[in-house]
Amino acid sequence: MEEKKNLQSQVTYEALNSTSEGMSRRDALKMIALGGAVTTFGAPTKVEARAKSDKHVKVLVVGGGSGGIMALARLRSALPNADITIIAPNETHLYQPSQVFVAAGLQTVEDMVKDNKDFIDDSVHWIKDEVASFDPEHNSVTTRGGEVVAYDYMVVATGVAYHYEWIKGLTEKDIGTYGISSVYLNNAEKGTADGGPITWEWFEALKKSAASGKKPTALYTAPSTPIKCGGAPQKILYLSADHLKKEGLGANFVYTTAKSKLFSLPEIDKSLTDVQKRYDKITNKFRHNLVAIDVPNKVATFEETYEVKGEYDPDLEEYDVTEEKRMVDMKYDFIHIVPPMGPPKALVDSLLGWQKGTAKGWLEVDQETLQHRRYPNVFGIGDVCGIPLGKTGGSARHHGPITVGNLVAQVEGKPLKEKFDGYTVCPLKVEYGEIILAEFNYDGLAPSFPLAVEKPRFLWWVFDLYMLKPMYWYLMLRGWM
């Protein structure tokens, strides 16, 4: 308990010193005054009893991102006699939510980077490599370097892979050229996060173009695949639009998404529709999926899915409706691309992924227990899980106690009682200084505080910009929340 108090003090220290980032001491103190409300933000309190086992078992964690490190911290406490190994190639740990703030010119890459050794205890065997293949039939994995690692229990926390190459004509090298940006662009293994700085330069170039007297056309894309932080495409849209608005400028903003609406929950969808009215005209192109791009000529090609009304059915008293597809070309001056995403190839090629359906390739875990549906000694955490919701850092934090609690129960031969309710949080940045904090789960809206979830608030902006990062470094990654 004393260690936890010290860590919470470190968060307070970070808040007090955030004045150097432009936050007033008064505002920092306001945030600290939230006290328990801040440090229990969306906390899954029922699981905090911390199940333990003294058994000697081999536990393998695959992945050194937020999910893997959160799981590792809890496993060390829950299984004090276990032989724990982590396979993770990245010596650098990126606080990826900061990439949007870097893109908005409010933080730097240096603000989002720490050494992974700060979070991996010397008692843990750290293999600085990547898993090349999984063999759940023999309880082992093989690394890129050819090392075979056996386990009794395994936590898969590999995250997602970006696939810019799935867009015909596009490569990662094109990001930052010909009016193209992508805030997601990073390489955890190399410790680079170029997407934020590139997108900030893109913001400035867009503003310069708008100030030249012409009205540039700016496209913002969202793919048909699941993505981490589903709100990021719109965050870039609204922040860049606000960046221009502050200078009395505008553009032809076009938001293209493979989805049929701005947000799945009607309350949030309505609020975002109202937000769009704040800015110069925003045109929404729903059910448009970016499939190709002519980089030098600045033409994006989308596959549009649309409905065709057929003959009238008098028995059903309705028209037959079918879906068809067509290709649509759009010219642009600037384009922000969110890449298609999927599970890592090693998982896709293994027996651990879903074998069919829309979740094919993603880790086949039960959506509540996060235990693999066919291999009971395997559990998942984070973005790699093939479940309906949960590709956010906030979800991974909620996965942590559930994954570890159920793994310990499996070790002890007890029923798996911990259940993930689908908790997801998406801080939708709708302008500089306002966020809609969309919290929801499998059943719908799930606010942690008695405030209207759909309302944009300065409070959430302050929380996200100044408090969430130190909480992540000093509490979440150490298993304290």
Side-chain angles (χ1 to χ4, degrees), residues 47 51 78 399-410 415-418:
V47 193
H399 291 173
I402 293 161
T403 295
V404 174
N406 284 335
L407 187 152
V408 171
Q410 185 71 19
L416 277 58
K417 295 182 178 180
E418 310 304 346

Side-chain angles (χ1 to χ4, degrees), residues 22 47 122 162 164 197 238 250 257 269 292 315 317 335 419 437:
V47 193
D122 290 341
Y162 300 147
Y164 290 97
Y238 303 135
T257 173
D269 184 72
D315 295 327
E317 297 183 343
I335 185 169
K419 307 293 183 184
L437 192 70

Side-chain angles (χ1 to χ4, degrees), residues 16 106 139 166 173 193 211 227 264-265 288 330 341 353 414 419 473:
L16 285 170
L106 299 173
N139 295 327
W166 288 1
K173 292 181 179 179
I227 63 173
S264 59
L265 297 172
H288 279 64
M330 295 186 197
M341 302 182 195
K414 297 178 180 179
K419 307 293 183 184
W473 292 131

Side-chain angles (χ1 to χ4, degrees), residues 154-471:
M154 178 169 64
V155 176
V156 180
T158 56
V160 303
Y162 300 147
H163 292 289
Y164 290 97
E165 75 280 3
W166 288 1
I167 301 169
K168 185 179 179 181
L170 182 70
T171 69
E172 283 192 13
K173 292 181 179 179
D174 295 319
I175 309 301
T177 70
Y178 293 97
I180 301 172
S181 76
S182 178
V183 72
Y184 280 94
L185 184 65
N186 66 35
N187 187 311
E189 183 171 357
K190 295 179 180 178
T192 60
D194 296 332
I198 286 173
T199 305
W200 170 240
E201 292 175 3
W202 186 89
F203 272 36
E204 290 286 83
L206 178 61
K207 183 173 70 173
K208 182 178 179 180
S209 177
S212 70
K214 64 173 288 188
K215 228 179 191 184
T217 295
L219 302 187
Y220 304 77
T221 74
S224 59
T225 66
I227 63 173
K228 66 189 330 180
C229 186
Q234 289 189 66
K235 296 176 188 180
I236 298 302
L237 166 63
Y238 303 135
L239 288 175
S240 61
D242 195 34
H243 188 59
L244 268 60
K245 181 181 177 182
K246 292 182 185 304
E247 302 294 329
L249 304 171
N252 296 315
F253 302 108
V254 182
Y255 177 62
T256 65
T257 173
K259 298 183 181 300
S260 59
K261 57 181 70 175
L262 293 175
F263 207 87
S264 59
L265 297 172
E267 299 91 340
I268 307 298
D269 184 72
K270 181 181 182 304
S271 185
L272 290 172
T273 299
D274 292 337
V275 162
Q276 291 195 348
K277 297 173 184 176
R278 301 179 181 184
Y279 302 113
D280 207 352
K281 183 179 180 182
I282 297 175
T283 302
N284 296 310
K285 294 289 186 179
F286 297 116
R287 308 184 83 180
H288 279 64
N289 182 43
L290 179 65
V291 295
I293 186 168
D294 183 339
V295 172
N297 291 310
K298 296 188 174 182
V299 178
T301 300
F302 296 84
E303 182 182 71
E304 179 189 6
T305 302
Y306 64 100
E307 294 182 346
V308 176
K309 187 165 66 173
E311 295 183 359
Y312 182 77
D313 187 328
D315 295 327
L316 297 176
E317 297 183 343
E318 62 183 27
Y319 287 93
D320 292 329
V321 177
T322 59
E323 285 190 348
E324 295 190 9
K325 298 180 185 296
R326 61 188 170 205
M327 295 299 171
V328 178
D329 289 340
M330 295 186 197
K331 293 184 177 181
Y332 62 86
D333 298 297
F334 297 88
I335 185 169
H336 178 269
I337 295 175
V338 176
M341 302 182 195
K345 185 178 185 298
L347 185 62
V348 174
D349 293 342
S350 78
L351 294 173
L352 291 175
W354 285 92
Q355 301 302 297
K356 59 182 179 180
T358 57
K360 185 176 181 180
W362 298 95
L363 187 66
E364 186 184 342
V365 294
D366 181 89
Q367 69 177 37
E368 292 185 336
T369 65
L370 303 180
Q371 180 187 43
H372 200 278
R373 287 159 46 93
R374 290 177 285 114
Y375 298 98
N377 62 334
V378 176
F379 292 79
I381 183 172
D383 298 341
V384 74
C385 293
I387 57 179
L389 295 175
K391 290 185 179 8
T392 69
S395 298
R397 184 173 65 81
H398 278 240
H399 291 173
I402 293 161
T403 295
V404 174
N406 284 335
L407 187 152
V408 171
Q410 185 71 19
V411 169
E412 289 291 309
K414 297 178 180 179
L416 277 58
K417 295 182 178 180
E418 310 304 346
K419 307 293 183 184
F420 176 58
D421 64 0
Y423 177 83
T424 303
V425 57
C426 183
L428 289 157
K429 300 163 181 64
V430 297
E431 69 172 53
Y432 282 79
E434 283 196 352
I435 280 177
I436 296 173
L437 192 70
E439 292 182 278
F440 51 101
N441 58 25
Y442 293 141
D443 296 325
L445 294 176
S448 298
F449 299 103
L451 296 172
V453 170
E454 70 277 8
K455 183 177 175 57
R457 297 181 188 276
F458 171 71
L459 170 66
W460 301 136
W461 176 270
V462 173
F463 176 79
D464 194 13
L465 180 57
Y466 298 108
M467 290 298 294
L468 198 53
K469 182 153 57 84
M471 287 168 62

Side-chain angles (χ1 to χ4, degrees), residues 57-173:
V57 292
K58 291 182 179 180
V59 181
L60 173 63
V61 177
V62 180
S66 57
I69 298 300
M70 289 182 199
L72 185 66
R74 290 177 178 274
L75 285 167
R76 288 181 50 243
S77 174
L79 299 168
N81 295 322
D83 177 4
I84 301 177
T85 298
I86 184 170
I87 300 177
N90 55 308
E91 296 193 30
T92 299
H93 195 102
L94 302 175
Y95 176 63
Q96 295 187 54
S98 275
Q99 286 180 262
V100 173
F101 285 123
V102 174
L106 299 173
Q107 291 183 354
T108 67
V109 172
E110 288 71 24
D111 294 326
M112 57 181 286
V113 173
K114 285 190 182 296
D115 290 332
N116 236 356
K117 65 182 180 181
D118 294 343
F119 310 105
I120 301 177
D121 189 83
D122 290 341
S123 64
V124 174
H125 179 39
W126 182 6
I127 300 175
K128 297 177 183 179
D129 203 343
E130 186 174 72
V131 169
S133 64
F134 293 90
D135 186 1
E137 293 291 332
H138 298 93
N139 295 327
S140 68
V141 303
T142 302
T143 69
R144 285 182 309 198
E147 182 176 356
V148 177
V149 182
Y151 60 84
D152 298 316
Y153 298 88
M154 178 169 64
V155 176
V156 180
T158 56
V160 303
Y162 300 147
H163 292 289
Y164 290 97
E165 75 280 3
W166 288 1
I167 301 169
K168 185 179 179 181
L170 182 70
T171 69
E172 283 192 13
K173 292 181 179 179

